[in-house]
Amino acid sequence: MRRVSYQFPNRCDIVFEHSVPFSQAVRSICRMDGKQTNFRTDRGLFKREIHVEIACDKTGFEKVSTDSEFIDEISERADFILRINDTLLKGEGRYPTAEYTFLLRIDDLGSRVEGFIIHQGRDGEIDALDVKNLLKGALS
């Protein structure tokens, strides 16, 4: 079953291909949900967290699952929303600093996939190229 959204625009920021089967790509993207990393800048220590949602009923999105049944029912094309949240970690508390939202479409091309990334909004330090590199690492 195709998991597509009518909200997905016709233009995109980056198109890429990766030599991985469609089901493996979907599984890898779903596994990214809830992943956290820490990084340090001159402003301090930050936590980066990724949340992934998949198209549902062509008009909305729902939280992904890593169940085999959930992933195996997805075919041909899947639209995702990736939300990346940065939080500044200080001794006196946590301070949300940024939220980045990206739309991602994955198309099945046989033994490889084609991906389309769209950055929603234009502010911040992360762009579509950063997400492409993040995805390439997750898909490998």
Side-chain angles (χ1 to χ4, degrees):
M1 168 176 68
R2 292 170 46 141
R3 300 285 294 241
V4 296
S5 171
Y6 289 135
Q7 299 175 24
F8 206 91
N10 292 328
R11 63 141 191 95
C12 67
D13 295 326
I14 288 187
V15 178
F16 68 95
E17 289 187 14
H18 198 70
S19 296
V20 64
F22 181 77
S23 61
Q24 183 180 341
V26 171
R27 181 172 278 107
S28 297
I29 293 167
C30 290
R31 271 194 248 131
M32 290 173 58
D33 184 51
K35 295 292 181 189
Q36 297 179 7
T37 58
N38 292 333
F39 63 97
R40 186 174 295 279
T41 69
D42 57 349
R43 294 177 40 208
L45 180 64
F46 287 83
K47 175 180 77 170
R48 178 165 287 157
E49 189 171 16
I50 301 172
H51 299 282
V52 182
E53 297 176 8
I54 192 165
C56 175
D57 300 327
K58 298 183 181 169
T59 58
F61 288 85
E62 67 181 3
K63 189 167 176 54
V64 296
S65 172
T66 55
D67 293 345
S68 291
E69 289 178 25
F70 176 82
I71 292 169
D72 291 341
E73 75 177 19
I74 303 167
S75 62
E76 295 178 47
R77 175 179 279 176
D79 292 348
F80 297 91
I81 289 183
L82 302 177
R83 296 185 201 283
I84 302 172
N85 298 313
D86 287 350
T87 304
L88 177 61
L89 305 174
K90 290 197 166 205
E92 59 270 5
R94 299 174 181 196
Y95 303 96
T97 57
E99 179 178 276
Y100 309 98
T101 303
F102 295 89
L103 293 173
L104 169 66
R105 172 170 281 168
I106 299 292
D107 283 337
D108 188 357
L109 300 177
S111 64
R112 58 192 170 85
V113 294
E114 184 175 36
F116 305 88
I117 302 172
I118 298 159
H119 185 185
Q120 300 260 276
R122 293 290 165 214
D123 58 335
E125 299 174 2
I126 299 177
D127 62 10
L129 183 59
D130 295 320
V131 172
K132 174 190 165 194
N133 293 331
L134 177 75
L135 288 168
K136 289 244 180 186
L139 296 176
S140 296

